Amino acid sequence: MRKQYQPQTSEIRLSSVLHALSDPRRLQIVLSLKDEAEESCTIYHDLMPKSTLTHHLKVLREAGVAKVRIEGTQHFYSLRTDDLELLFPGLMTSVLNVKPELIE
Amino acid sequence: MRKQYQPQTSEIRLSSVLHALSDPRRLQIVLSLKDEAEESCTIYHDLMPKSTLTHHLKVLREAGVAKVRIEGTQHFYSLRTDDLELLFPGLMTSVLNVKPELIE
Protein backbone atom coordinates (compact mmCIF):
# COMPACT_ATOMS: atom_id res chain seq x y z
CA MET A 1 0.00 0.00 0.00
CA ARG A 2 1.30 3.46 -0.91
CA LYS A 3 2.77 5.34 2.02
CA GLN A 4 0.63 8.31 2.97
CA TYR A 5 2.21 11.73 3.31
CA GLN A 6 2.97 12.84 6.85
CA PRO A 7 5.14 15.91 7.48
CA GLN A 8 8.41 15.67 9.37
CA THR A 9 8.29 17.43 12.73
CA SER A 10 10.31 20.32 11.28
CA GLU A 11 7.76 20.74 8.48
CA ILE A 12 4.71 21.20 10.74
CA ARG A 13 3.32 24.75 10.65
CA LEU A 14 0.94 26.51 13.03
CA SER A 15 -1.41 27.80 10.33
CA SER A 16 -2.00 24.26 9.03
CA VAL A 17 -2.46 22.86 12.54
CA LEU A 18 -5.01 25.55 13.49
CA HIS A 19 -6.83 25.07 10.19
CA ALA A 20 -7.00 21.31 10.79
CA LEU A 21 -8.35 21.84 14.31
CA SER A 22 -10.85 24.54 13.33
CA ASP A 23 -13.40 22.13 11.87
CA PRO A 24 -15.75 20.76 14.55
CA ARG A 25 -15.86 17.28 13.00
CA ARG A 26 -12.06 17.09 12.88
CA LEU A 27 -11.93 18.33 16.45
CA GLN A 28 -14.37 15.56 17.35
CA ILE A 29 -11.94 13.00 15.87
CA VAL A 30 -9.00 14.61 17.69
CA LEU A 31 -10.86 14.59 21.01
CA SER A 32 -11.72 10.91 20.59
CA LEU A 33 -8.00 10.17 20.06
CA LYS A 34 -6.78 12.04 23.11
CA ASP A 35 -7.07 9.17 25.57
CA GLU A 36 -5.97 6.43 23.20
CA ALA A 37 -2.52 5.36 22.10
CA GLU A 38 -3.99 4.73 18.67
CA GLU A 39 -7.35 3.98 17.18
CA SER A 40 -8.59 2.23 14.05
CA CYS A 41 -10.40 4.66 11.79
CA THR A 42 -13.28 2.21 11.53
CA ILE A 43 -14.62 3.51 14.86
CA TYR A 44 -15.60 6.77 13.15
CA HIS A 45 -17.76 5.18 10.50
CA ASP A 46 -20.82 5.79 12.65
CA LEU A 47 -20.01 9.47 13.01
CA MET A 48 -19.83 10.50 9.37
CA PRO A 49 -19.86 9.13 5.82
CA LYS A 50 -16.66 7.32 4.86
CA SER A 51 -15.65 9.84 2.18
CA THR A 52 -16.03 12.71 4.66
CA LEU A 53 -14.02 10.79 7.24
CA THR A 54 -11.26 10.06 4.71
CA HIS A 55 -11.04 13.75 3.87
CA HIS A 56 -10.85 14.87 7.51
CA LEU A 57 -8.25 12.26 8.45
CA LYS A 58 -6.16 13.38 5.46
CA VAL A 59 -6.30 17.03 6.59
CA LEU A 60 -5.30 16.04 10.14
CA ARG A 61 -2.48 13.84 8.87
CA GLU A 62 -1.09 16.31 6.34
CA ALA A 63 -1.14 19.12 8.94
CA GLY A 64 0.87 16.96 11.35
CA VAL A 65 -1.89 16.72 13.96
CA ALA A 66 -2.39 12.96 13.56
CA LYS A 67 -0.32 10.13 12.17
CA VAL A 68 -1.32 6.83 10.68
CA ARG A 69 0.14 3.36 10.96
CA ILE A 70 -1.04 0.91 8.33
CA GLU A 71 -1.33 -2.78 9.13
CA GLY A 72 -2.74 -4.81 6.28
CA THR A 73 -5.95 -3.02 5.31
CA GLN A 74 -6.34 -1.39 8.73
CA HIS A 75 -5.41 2.25 9.39
CA PHE A 76 -4.53 3.08 12.99
CA TYR A 77 -4.52 6.77 13.90
CA SER A 78 -2.88 8.57 16.81
CA LEU A 79 -2.19 12.18 17.78
CA ARG A 80 1.30 13.64 17.32
CA THR A 81 1.12 15.10 20.82
CA ASP A 82 4.87 15.09 21.48
CA ASP A 83 5.72 16.78 18.18
CA LEU A 84 3.04 19.44 18.68
CA GLU A 85 4.08 20.08 22.28
CA LEU A 86 7.67 20.56 21.15
CA LEU A 87 6.70 23.08 18.47
CA PHE A 88 3.71 24.83 20.10
CA PRO A 89 3.91 24.28 23.87
CA GLY A 90 0.50 24.21 25.54
CA LEU A 91 -1.55 24.37 22.35
CA MET A 92 -2.90 20.83 22.31
CA THR A 93 -3.45 20.78 26.07
CA SER A 94 -5.64 23.83 25.68
CA VAL A 95 -7.56 22.48 22.70
CA LEU A 96 -8.02 18.97 24.15
CA ASN A 97 -9.47 20.39 27.38
CA VAL A 98 -12.12 22.49 25.68
CA LYS A 99 -15.60 22.23 27.15
CA PRO A 100 -17.81 20.45 24.57
CA GLU A 101 -20.37 23.26 24.57
CA LEU A 102 -17.67 25.76 23.53
CA ILE A 103 -16.60 23.93 20.37
CA GLU A 104 -19.18 25.30 17.94
CA MET B 1 -21.54 54.94 12.70
CA ARG B 2 -23.18 51.50 12.79
CA LYS B 3 -22.03 49.34 15.66
CA GLN B 4 -20.03 46.39 14.41
CA TYR B 5 -20.93 42.88 15.55
CA GLN B 6 -18.78 41.46 18.33
CA PRO B 7 -19.84 38.27 20.11
CA GLN B 8 -20.51 38.23 23.83
CA THR B 9 -17.95 36.20 25.77
CA SER B 10 -20.48 33.37 26.14
CA GLU B 11 -20.96 33.29 22.35
CA ILE B 12 -17.28 32.76 21.46
CA ARG B 13 -16.58 29.29 20.05
CA LEU B 14 -13.30 27.43 19.64
CA SER B 15 -13.85 26.45 16.02
CA SER B 16 -14.33 30.11 15.01
CA VAL B 17 -11.31 31.23 17.05
CA LEU B 18 -9.06 28.58 15.50
CA HIS B 19 -10.34 29.39 12.03
CA ALA B 20 -9.64 33.09 12.60
CA LEU B 21 -6.10 32.34 13.81
CA SER B 22 -5.32 29.81 11.06
CA ASP B 23 -4.68 32.44 8.38
CA PRO B 24 -1.06 33.66 8.43
CA ARG B 25 -2.05 37.27 7.64
CA ARG B 26 -4.60 37.32 10.46
CA LEU B 27 -2.02 35.79 12.77
CA GLN B 28 0.35 38.58 11.73
CA ILE B 29 -2.26 41.14 12.83
CA VAL B 30 -2.85 39.28 16.11
CA LEU B 31 0.88 39.09 16.85
CA SER B 32 1.25 42.81 16.23
CA LEU B 33 -1.53 43.46 18.75
CA LYS B 34 -0.08 41.29 21.50
CA ASP B 35 2.08 43.97 23.10
CA GLU B 36 -0.34 46.85 22.65
CA ALA B 37 -3.36 47.88 24.64
CA GLU B 38 -4.98 48.84 21.35
CA GLU B 39 -3.91 49.85 17.91
CA SER B 40 -5.39 51.88 15.07
CA CYS B 41 -6.02 49.70 12.05
CA THR B 42 -4.25 52.26 9.88
CA ILE B 43 -0.91 50.75 10.94
CA TYR B 44 -1.68 47.69 8.80
CA HIS B 45 -2.25 49.59 5.59
CA ASP B 46 1.37 48.93 4.60
CA LEU B 47 0.97 45.19 5.15
CA MET B 48 -1.96 44.47 2.86
CA PRO B 49 -4.58 46.15 0.65
CA LYS B 50 -7.32 47.90 2.59
CA SER B 51 -10.11 45.57 1.42
CA THR B 52 -8.08 42.51 2.50
CA LEU B 53 -7.37 44.14 5.85
CA THR B 54 -11.04 44.98 6.37
CA HIS B 55 -11.97 41.35 5.70
CA HIS B 56 -9.37 39.94 8.09
CA LEU B 57 -10.25 42.36 10.89
CA LYS B 58 -13.92 41.41 10.45
CA VAL B 59 -13.12 37.68 10.78
CA LEU B 60 -11.03 38.33 13.91
CA ARG B 61 -13.75 40.52 15.42
CA GLU B 62 -16.65 38.20 14.62
CA ALA B 63 -14.76 35.20 16.04
CA GLY B 64 -14.16 37.08 19.29
CA VAL B 65 -10.37 37.22 18.91
CA ALA B 66 -10.21 41.00 18.59
CA LYS B 67 -12.50 43.85 19.50
CA VAL B 68 -12.86 47.30 18.04
CA ARG B 69 -13.45 50.69 19.62
CA ILE B 70 -14.61 53.37 17.23
CA GLU B 71 -13.66 57.00 17.83
CA GLY B 72 -14.85 59.29 15.08
CA THR B 73 -13.55 57.73 11.87
CA GLN B 74 -10.78 55.85 13.64
CA HIS B 75 -11.00 52.13 14.48
CA PHE B 76 -8.88 50.96 17.40
CA TYR B 77 -8.33 47.20 17.70
CA SER B 78 -7.26 45.12 20.68
CA LEU B 79 -7.11 41.43 21.54
CA ARG B 80 -9.78 39.87 23.76
CA THR B 81 -7.06 38.14 25.75
CA ASP B 82 -9.00 37.95 29.02
CA ASP B 83 -12.13 36.50 27.39
CA LEU B 84 -10.11 33.91 25.46
CA GLU B 85 -8.06 32.94 28.53
CA LEU B 86 -11.28 32.42 30.47
CA LEU B 87 -12.77 30.16 27.81
CA PHE B 88 -9.67 28.40 26.45
CA PRO B 89 -6.92 28.63 29.08
CA GLY B 90 -3.43 28.69 27.59
CA LEU B 91 -4.52 28.87 23.96
CA MET B 92 -3.55 32.45 23.19
CA THR B 93 -0.33 32.23 25.21
CA SER B 94 0.69 29.29 23.05
CA VAL B 95 -0.29 30.96 19.77
CA LEU B 96 1.25 34.35 20.64
CA ASN B 97 4.58 32.72 21.53
CA VAL B 98 4.94 30.87 18.23
CA LYS B 99 8.34 31.15 16.57
CA PRO B 100 7.89 33.21 13.38
CA GLU B 101 9.45 30.51 11.19
CA LEU B 102 6.79 28.01 12.36
CA ILE B 103 3.78 30.08 11.30
CA GLU B 104 3.55 28.99 7.65
Side-chain angles (χ1 to χ4, degrees):
Chain A
M1 185 172 285
R2 191 166 63 80
K3 193 161 166 27
Q4 297 191 2
Y5 172 71
Q6 303 188 144
Q8 300 290 316
T9 307
S10 62
E11 295 170 327
I12 297 174
R13 291 294 175 269
L14 182 62
S15 53
S16 303
V17 169
L18 295 178
H19 169 71
L21 296 170
S22 69
D23 182 281
R25 287 159 302 176
R26 287 197 288 271
L27 199 50
Q28 189 180 12
I29 296 172
V30 166
L31 289 171
S32 79
L33 283 171
K34 83 170 176 173
D35 297 321
E36 304 296 331
E38 62 178 14
E39 202 138 54
S40 164
C41 66
T42 56
I43 67 150
Y44 306 114
H45 287 172
D46 290 343
L47 298 181
M48 55 192 91
K50 193 177 171 188
S51 61
T52 309
L53 174 67
T54 302
H55 165 72
H56 288 316
L57 287 172
K58 181 171 184 272
V59 174
L60 289 169
R61 179 169 44 74
E62 293 187 349
V65 173
K67 63 185 172 192
V68 65
R69 182 176 65 81
I70 301 173
E71 202 177 296
T73 58
Q74 287 268 63
H75 288 54
F76 294 95
Y77 278 83
S78 58
L79 294 182
R80 295 181 66 171
T81 313
D82 291 348
D83 290 333
L84 294 169
E85 181 61 20
L86 182 73
L87 298 170
F88 318 114
L91 179 68
M92 288 305 283
T93 304
S94 174
V95 168
L96 292 174
N97 286 321
V98 66
K99 291 178 188 158
E101 66 272 23
L102 295 182
I103 290 177
E104 71 170 326
Chain B
M1 186 171 285
R2 191 165 64 80
K3 194 162 165 29
Q4 299 192 4
Y5 172 71
Q6 305 188 142
Q8 300 290 316
T9 307
S10 62
E11 295 170 328
I12 296 174
R13 292 294 176 268
L14 183 62
S15 53
S16 303
V17 170
L18 295 178
H19 169 70
L21 295 170
S22 70
D23 182 281
R25 288 159 300 179
R26 287 197 288 272
L27 198 49
Q28 190 180 11
I29 295 172
V30 166
L31 290 172
S32 80
L33 283 171
K34 85 170 173 172
D35 297 321
E36 304 297 330
E38 63 178 12
E39 202 139 55
S40 164
C41 65
T42 56
I43 67 149
Y44 306 114
H45 288 171
D46 290 342
L47 298 181
M48 56 192 90
K50 192 176 172 188
S51 61
T52 309
L53 174 66
T54 302
H55 165 71
H56 287 316
L57 287 171
K58 180 171 185 274
V59 174
L60 289 169
R61 179 170 44 74
E62 292 187 349
V65 174
K67 64 185 171 192
V68 65
R69 183 175 64 79
I70 300 173
E71 202 177 295
T73 59
Q74 287 267 64
H75 288 54
F76 294 94
Y77 278 84
S78 58
L79 294 181
R80 296 182 65 170
T81 314
D82 291 349
D83 291 333
L84 294 169
E85 181 61 20
L86 182 74
L87 298 170
F88 318 113
L91 179 68
M92 288 305 283
T93 303
S94 175
V95 168
L96 293 175
N97 286 319
V98 65
K99 292 178 189 160
E101 65 271 24
L102 295 182
I103 291 176
E104 70 170 327

